[in-house]
Amino acid sequence: MELDSSNQDKNSRSCDCIKAIPGKFKAKVVEFTEKTKKIGQDDPRRIAHSAKVGLALTLVSFFYYFRPLYDGFGQAGMWAILTVVVVFEYTVGGTLLKCFNRGFATLLAGALGIGAEYLATLCGEKGEPVLLGILVFILATTSTFMRFFPSIKRRYDYGVLIFILTFSLVAVSGFRVDQIIQLAHQRLSTILIGAATCIVISIFICPVWAGQDLHNLASANIEKLASFLQVFGDEGSVVASKDVESILQGYKTVLNAKATEESLANFACWEPCHGRFKFHHPWKQYLKIGVLVRECACHIEALSGYRNSKPQVPSEFSIKIHQLCVKISLESGKSLNDLAAAIKNMVHPCATETHIKNSIAAANELKSILESSSSLAKPDLQEIMPALVVASILIDIIKCIEKISESIHELSGKAHFKNNANSTITPEKQQQKQWLHRGIVKPINDANCDHVAIEILGTCEDNSSEK
Amino acid sequence: MELDSSNQDKNSRSCDCIKAIPGKFKAKVVEFTEKTKKIGQDDPRRIAHSAKVGLALTLVSFFYYFRPLYDGFGQAGMWAILTVVVVFEYTVGGTLLKCFNRGFATLLAGALGIGAEYLATLCGEKGEPVLLGILVFILATTSTFMRFFPSIKRRYDYGVLIFILTFSLVAVSGFRVDQIIQLAHQRLSTILIGAATCIVISIFICPVWAGQDLHNLASANIEKLASFLQVFGDEGSVVASKDVESILQGYKTVLNAKATEESLANFACWEPCHGRFKFHHPWKQYLKIGVLVRECACHIEALSGYRNSKPQVPSEFSIKIHQLCVKISLESGKSLNDLAAAIKNMVHPCATETHIKNSIAAANELKSILESSSSLAKPDLQEIMPALVVASILIDIIKCIEKISESIHELSGKAHFKNNANSTITPEKQQQKQWLHRGIVKPINDANCDHVAIEILGTCEDNSSEK
């Protein structure tokens, strides 16, 4: 019996070994599937984009495949496939920019190439390759150097590449000029077919607008900072602890958003009007907002080290400072939230001012407490130092938020955001409103702040309309 | 006379108008020339790179041009030009990665394409285009989706593109299989010629190594932070005011270095050993250092708001705090400078520890002053608040520098940096050195600090060698 069982053991062990390999493989497959699923779920438009590329390529490859078309276009049909593969980008703007680059560069380089070829034939059989070699060298060298210009790199990098390629191909092809013109005609028409297919599919089937993405990104980034400040002030009493961590890490992605923002803004300029965006939507303004938001995120990074820095046995004084910090943090969060919502819904930010005023009022209160600190018996500086630092960083953050708010007001003006309730504010009304704010509106500390602020604005509106 | 002069006036004015256009044009040309000059001067390797691309293209175009070669390779010669244009990158690593991508993707897609073509011919004349269409759609869709995987996007984006292109071209070409094999042979050999030309020129003529660039960038970024801290502590007494501004803005470029660092690290993995770098140089470690350096730059951003925040009539207490802050700032700057130099010269950082210890000692002194603050009569909190905030941020920066130092020590270990004077430290000696540091070395405040620190290390070394 014992022998038997040991044999069984051995067997099962060797079975395990054999099973181990497919087991590992299975684990890999499962991991891969999960990853794929996550990427698809994170942004389902990715699946649509992949299918769109497949569709464009299948359509274009029929030009190449079917004999009647094939005979018409010859080998040039492959340029349609090449165009689709290289030009089809994720966003509409990206696709349009690449199509423009490709078309313009091909035309320019083709013309120059034919000129070079013609010039070279004048130099006799021996001079021809030498002159062509020199021309190719000069053009390739200067064009490559052009790619180091930041402004060209950003927009026309692909165009310069195609320019070098086409010029070299045309100049060196060794055909006679009349042949070249026929070839150029074929090639251009196939490139046009490829580009047109891409543009039509890109715009009319589940379009991904770079402008819309940039708009959403700006709003989402501000929202992330707002959430941080609200959780930081709130001390995690409302949100589940798991979510708290992800919210507190959210600002880190904001710090690295520069490259994405710039490329989206670059593409967005090329897009036709879509959805709520007019043709001359001020896309550059989003970049300005982005710079300020990242600056704010940097202050938040400095702040993030001071979470849970409350002293164990706080003095009355430090409790007071702490309370004011909480208030500034919450109000700042609310103002950022309002700004994010204003961008999202494309309405003029209205409650922001109130929240910023509330946080400034809290900051002033803090300052006056510090001024009167001489009345304190013995302030333990080491105990209150973290609170002071938090207060100081929060005051910096208020300044940042004021700048962000200003910048978003500018965007609102340029892009004609709707004016929500108070849509017809004349300068007089504006002044009256400011007066109301200055005189009547006291900094509000409770959770109904949003509501109260809107009420006041409403009153202001009613008053003025009565007038 | 008057009439004459007014006539002259008119003439000269109209002349001005005519001159204005060439004047504007001239200004544009001058501006462009200056820009070009600046880009060339900033990094003269750019000019060399441009000439290298020109050279490679001229060489390869001769394959296409000269009849004997042309007859051998046929139209496939154009693939050599295409390869050079697309594959030749600024750095050696970038070129190698693209060559690998192109070669591998072409082989794989070519084989699959031939398989698909063979499969399709089995389906009869009517089934063939349908099956091929379906296959192209499925492959293009899945491959495009693959490009959304961050790991694939980072390294193999170009490969996937070439894979889709080659598969579509081969599968759809409509040739018979034996024709395809001959075509594939021609095309592969021309691609190989193009790629080989690029690799040889890229490596042997003024090579630009991504690894070297990454190494220099890491060192330069740390140096920028060091300069900031030293100017911040020094209060601009030594450096000219114009330079001060550029130094104080330097940390901002550090904040945005992530993308550059990642792409350089990605390319560096592909480079053969060069200069002082072995084949398995720990390039990934530079990314870890980069993350910590950016974190430190964020704290410096928070600090930058507090320059010139010294109170007008400082109390004795705030002068004391200020002095300690200056000391921490200078010592932190020195330690970062030492770390930057260690990377630059590939030697084990030796003086860093001393400087970090000095700044920690100053921070501790600061803490003890704050603890004993209760003995103060009436501290004006508002007056000392900026100083306290600066102190607190500086303490955060010390923590950051400790982490950076640790990470660079790790790099030094992995990359076998030279050990400078104390190259043979045994664990016992290390302990002795630590003991010496703890016991004898007092935090040093004067400008000879570097010198003193090295002296002590020297003594330690001598002692142990006597033993």
Side-chain angles (χ1 to χ4, degrees):
Chain A
M1 275 291 278
E2 260 182 40
L3 254 172
D4 247 332
S5 78
S6 83
N7 253 346
Q8 269 179 0
D9 259 24
K10 259 188 198 170
N11 276 341
S12 74
R13 243 177 281 151
S14 65
C15 268
D16 278 355
C17 276
I18 296 165
K19 270 180 200 165
I21 298 165
K24 252 189 187 173
F25 181 71
K26 208 180 156 190
K28 281 256 170 195
V29 169
V30 168
E31 192 195 356
F32 178 78
T33 319
E34 302 256 305
K35 226 179 185 175
T36 314
K37 221 172 148 186
K38 196 184 166 299
I39 288 172
Q41 276 172 342
D42 278 355
D43 192 349
R45 298 177 305 173
R46 289 169 176 167
I47 302 169
H49 170 73
S50 307
K52 275 155 69 184
V53 174
L55 178 65
L57 214 53
T58 314
L59 281 180
V60 158
S61 66
F62 281 133
F63 275 99
Y64 199 97
Y65 193 80
F66 281 117
R67 293 289 163 235
L69 290 164
Y70 187 86
D71 292 341
F73 288 109
Q75 276 263 327
M78 67 166 260
W79 289 96
I81 292 181
L82 209 147
T83 304
V84 169
V85 171
V86 176
V87 146
F88 210 132
E89 289 278 309
Y90 185 51
T91 59
V92 175
T95 308
L96 287 173
L97 178 58
K98 274 210 160 173
C99 284
F100 166 79
N101 264 311
R102 184 165 192 102
F104 186 74
T106 306
L107 275 177
L108 186 68
L112 279 177
I114 292 174
E117 179 75 25
Y118 180 73
L119 209 73
T121 50
L122 298 180
C123 293
E125 208 159 308
K126 280 200 174 166
E128 198 180 335
V130 177
L131 184 71
L132 279 178
I134 293 172
L135 282 176
V136 166
F137 179 80
I138 292 174
L139 244 103
T141 304
T142 47
S143 307
T144 307
F145 190 75
M146 284 289 161
R147 293 176 71 192
F148 288 112
F149 283 73
S151 53
I152 291 176
K153 176 100 196 157
R154 205 166 49 236
R155 293 202 159 186
Y156 308 115
D157 194 50
Y158 178 67
V160 177
L161 207 78
I162 292 293
F163 177 81
I164 303 175
L165 176 65
T166 311
F167 178 80
S168 314
L169 284 182
V170 173
V172 171
S173 62
F175 289 110
R176 288 194 313 279
V177 172
D178 55 337
Q179 275 181 321
I180 285 186
I181 289 177
Q182 198 208 340
L183 195 79
H185 172 242
Q186 275 186 356
R187 202 162 284 180
L188 269 179
S189 45
T190 43
I191 288 179
L192 268 180
I193 289 169
T197 312
C198 289
I199 292 175
V200 168
I201 290 181
S202 168
I203 293 184
F204 293 105
I205 304 178
C206 311
V208 177
W209 301 101
Q212 179 77 54
D213 273 19
L214 177 63
H215 186 85
N216 294 347
L217 182 67
S219 163
N221 279 349
I222 296 175
E223 228 164 51
K224 275 177 194 162
L225 303 192
S227 308
F228 178 95
L229 286 173
Q230 288 189 318
V231 170
F232 188 83
D234 197 50
E235 291 170 327
S237 61
V238 180
V239 199
S241 69
K242 201 182 133 195
D243 294 340
V244 166
E245 270 320 297
S246 75
I247 287 173
L248 290 178
Q249 297 299 314
Y251 74 89
K252 287 196 175 167
T253 59
V254 178
L255 284 170
N256 296 320
K258 191 180 178 232
T260 317
E261 271 179 13
E262 278 179 356
S263 85
L264 284 178
N266 198 13
F267 293 157
C269 299
W270 284 85
E271 289 175 350
C273 48
H274 57 275
R276 300 172 294 171
F277 306 102
K278 300 274 174 352
F279 185 62
H280 276 297
H281 196 77
W283 298 117
K284 296 268 170 233
Q285 187 66 24
Y286 289 91
L287 295 183
K288 284 187 200 164
I289 296 172
V291 171
L292 297 171
V293 168
R294 277 194 296 282
E295 202 181 302
C296 189
C298 237
H299 288 295
I300 283 182
E301 163 106 1
L303 195 63
S304 68
Y306 290 94
R307 212 173 115 76
N308 309 322
S309 63
K310 219 172 147 184
Q312 300 256 310
V313 192
S315 63
E316 198 192 336
F317 182 71
S318 74
I319 288 176
K320 239 181 191 170
I321 297 182
H322 183 78
Q323 277 173 345
L324 285 168
C325 284
V326 165
K327 192 173 159 185
I328 297 178
S329 187
L330 288 178
E331 287 292 327
S332 301
K334 276 178 196 166
S335 62
L336 280 177
N337 246 342
D338 186 60
L339 288 171
I343 293 188
K344 206 178 198 172
N345 306 321
M346 295 185 85
V347 293
H348 198 75
C350 58
T352 318
E353 228 170 286
T354 322
H355 292 303
I356 291 180
K357 272 186 190 185
N358 286 344
S359 32
I360 290 176
N364 287 336
E365 207 177 322
L366 197 77
K367 276 178 198 162
S368 65
I369 287 182
L370 294 180
E371 267 167 29
S372 63
S373 64
S374 46
S375 61
L376 277 167
K378 282 176 184 174
D380 181 354
L381 281 182
Q382 220 195 349
E383 187 224 307
I384 59 170
M385 191 160 146
L388 288 180
V389 175
V390 167
S392 169
I393 298 176
L394 281 172
I395 289 170
D396 287 341
I397 288 178
I398 296 177
K399 283 177 205 156
C400 264
I401 293 176
E402 279 185 300
K403 278 194 247 168
I404 295 174
S405 164
E406 215 169 274
S407 190
I408 291 177
H409 274 83
E410 208 179 314
L411 173 71
S412 163
K414 281 182 186 169
H416 311 290
F417 282 5
K418 274 177 285 175
N419 240 332
N420 226 9
N422 45 337
S423 53
T424 49
I425 297 183
T426 60
E428 295 156 49
K429 284 182 195 173
Q430 183 73 33
Q431 207 177 15
Q432 194 184 24
K433 203 180 103 200
Q434 274 173 2
W435 176 80
L436 267 167
H437 273 214
R438 213 175 296 142
I440 302 170
V441 181
K442 279 264 170 194
I444 303 150
N445 199 15
D446 62 10
N448 297 322
C449 183
D450 272 35
H451 179 64
V452 176
I454 289 163
E455 253 186 13
I456 292 162
L457 284 168
T459 322
C460 150
E461 183 60 23
D462 288 344
N463 281 348
S464 43
S465 58
E466 273 168 32
K467 188 177 116 180
Chain B
M1 273 295 275
E2 261 184 32
L3 254 171
D4 247 332
S5 78
S6 82
N7 253 346
Q8 270 180 358
D9 260 28
K10 257 188 198 169
N11 275 342
S12 72
R13 240 177 282 150
S14 66
C15 267
D16 279 356
C17 276
I18 295 165
K19 270 181 198 162
I21 297 164
K24 250 187 188 173
F25 182 71
K26 208 179 155 190
K28 281 255 171 194
V29 169
V30 169
E31 192 197 356
F32 179 77
T33 320
E34 301 257 302
K35 224 178 185 176
T36 313
K37 222 170 145 187
K38 197 185 165 295
I39 289 173
Q41 275 172 343
D42 278 357
D43 193 348
R45 298 177 304 174
R46 287 170 178 166
I47 302 168
H49 170 72
S50 307
K52 276 155 67 185
V53 174
L55 179 67
L57 213 53
T58 314
L59 282 180
V60 158
S61 67
F62 282 135
F63 275 100
Y64 199 97
Y65 194 80
F66 282 117
R67 294 287 164 240
L69 290 164
Y70 186 84
D71 293 341
F73 289 109
Q75 275 265 327
M78 67 166 259
W79 288 97
I81 293 181
L82 208 148
T83 304
V84 169
V85 172
V86 177
V87 147
F88 210 130
E89 289 277 311
Y90 184 52
T91 59
V92 176
T95 309
L96 288 173
L97 178 57
K98 274 209 163 173
C99 283
F100 166 79
N101 263 310
R102 183 164 191 101
F104 186 75
T106 307
L107 276 177
L108 186 67
L112 279 178
I114 292 174
E117 180 75 24
Y118 179 73
L119 209 73
T121 50
L122 297 181
C123 294
E125 208 159 310
K126 280 198 176 171
E128 199 179 334
V130 177
L131 185 69
L132 280 178
I134 292 171
L135 282 177
V136 166
F137 180 80
I138 292 174
L139 244 102
T141 305
T142 47
S143 306
T144 307
F145 190 75
M146 283 290 162
R147 292 175 73 192
F148 288 112
F149 283 73
S151 53
I152 291 177
K153 176 102 198 155
R154 205 165 50 236
R155 295 203 157 189
Y156 307 116
D157 195 49
Y158 178 68
V160 176
L161 207 76
I162 293 293
F163 177 81
I164 302 174
L165 176 66
T166 310
F167 178 80
S168 312
L169 284 181
V170 172
V172 170
S173 62
F175 290 109
R176 288 194 315 278
V177 172
D178 54 339
Q179 275 181 319
I180 284 186
I181 288 176
Q182 197 208 339
L183 195 79
H185 172 242
Q186 275 187 353
R187 200 162 285 181
L188 268 179
S189 44
T190 43
I191 288 179
L192 267 180
I193 289 169
T197 312
C198 289
I199 291 175
V200 168
I201 290 182
S202 167
I203 291 184
F204 293 104
I205 304 179
C206 309
V208 177
W209 301 103
Q212 179 76 55
D213 274 19
L214 178 62
H215 186 84
N216 294 346
L217 183 68
S219 163
N221 279 348
I222 296 174
E223 229 165 50
K224 276 178 194 161
L225 302 191
S227 307
F228 179 96
L229 287 174
Q230 288 188 319
V231 170
F232 188 85
D234 198 48
E235 289 169 331
S237 62
V238 181
V239 200
S241 68
K242 201 183 134 194
D243 294 339
V244 165
E245 271 319 297
S246 75
I247 288 174
L248 290 178
Q249 298 299 314
Y251 73 90
K252 286 195 178 168
T253 58
V254 178
L255 284 171
N256 296 321
K258 191 179 179 233
T260 317
E261 271 178 13
E262 277 179 358
S263 87
L264 284 178
N266 198 14
F267 294 157
C269 299
W270 284 85
E271 289 175 349
C273 47
H274 58 276
R276 301 170 294 172
F277 307 103
K278 301 273 175 352
F279 186 63
H280 276 296
H281 196 78
W283 300 116
K284 297 266 169 237
Q285 187 67 25
Y286 288 89
L287 296 183
K288 282 187 201 163
I289 295 171
V291 171
L292 296 171
V293 168
R294 278 195 296 283
E295 201 181 304
C296 189
C298 237
H299 287 294
I300 283 183
E301 163 108 0
L303 195 63
S304 68
Y306 290 94
R307 211 173 116 74
N308 307 323
S309 64
K310 219 173 147 183
Q312 300 255 313
V313 192
S315 63
E316 199 193 337
F317 182 70
S318 75
I319 289 176
K320 236 182 194 170
I321 296 182
H322 182 77
Q323 278 173 345
L324 285 169
C325 283
V326 165
K327 192 173 160 185
I328 297 178
S329 188
L330 288 176
E331 286 293 326
S332 301
K334 278 180 195 164
S335 61
L336 280 177
N337 247 342
D338 185 61
L339 288 171
I343 292 186
K344 205 179 198 173
N345 307 320
M346 296 185 85
V347 294
H348 198 77
C350 58
T352 318
E353 227 169 286
T354 321
H355 292 304
I356 291 180
K357 274 191 185 171
N358 286 344
S359 32
I360 291 176
N364 287 336
E365 207 177 320
L366 197 80
K367 275 179 199 160
S368 66
I369 287 181
L370 294 180
E371 267 167 28
S372 64
S373 64
S374 46
S375 61
L376 279 167
K378 282 175 185 174
D380 181 355
L381 281 182
Q382 217 191 353
E383 186 224 306
I384 60 169
M385 190 161 149
L388 287 180
V389 175
V390 168
S392 168
I393 297 176
L394 280 172
I395 289 171
D396 286 342
I397 288 178
I398 296 177
K399 282 178 206 156
C400 263
I401 293 178
E402 280 186 300
K403 277 193 248 168
I404 294 174
S405 164
E406 213 170 277
S407 190
I408 291 177
H409 274 84
E410 208 179 314
L411 173 70
S412 163
K414 280 184 188 167
H416 310 290
F417 281 6
K418 274 178 284 176
N419 241 333
N420 228 6
N422 45 335
S423 53
T424 50
I425 297 182
T426 59
E428 294 155 49
K429 286 183 196 175
Q430 182 74 32
Q431 207 176 17
Q432 195 184 21
K433 203 180 103 202
Q434 275 174 0
W435 176 82
L436 267 167
H437 273 215
R438 215 176 293 143
I440 302 168
V441 182
K442 278 263 170 195
I444 302 151
N445 201 15
D446 62 10
N448 299 321
C449 182
D450 271 34
H451 178 64
V452 176
I454 290 163
E455 255 187 12
I456 290 161
L457 282 169
T459 322
C460 152
E461 183 61 22
D462 288 347
N463 280 349
S464 43
S465 57
E466 272 167 33
K467 189 177 113 181

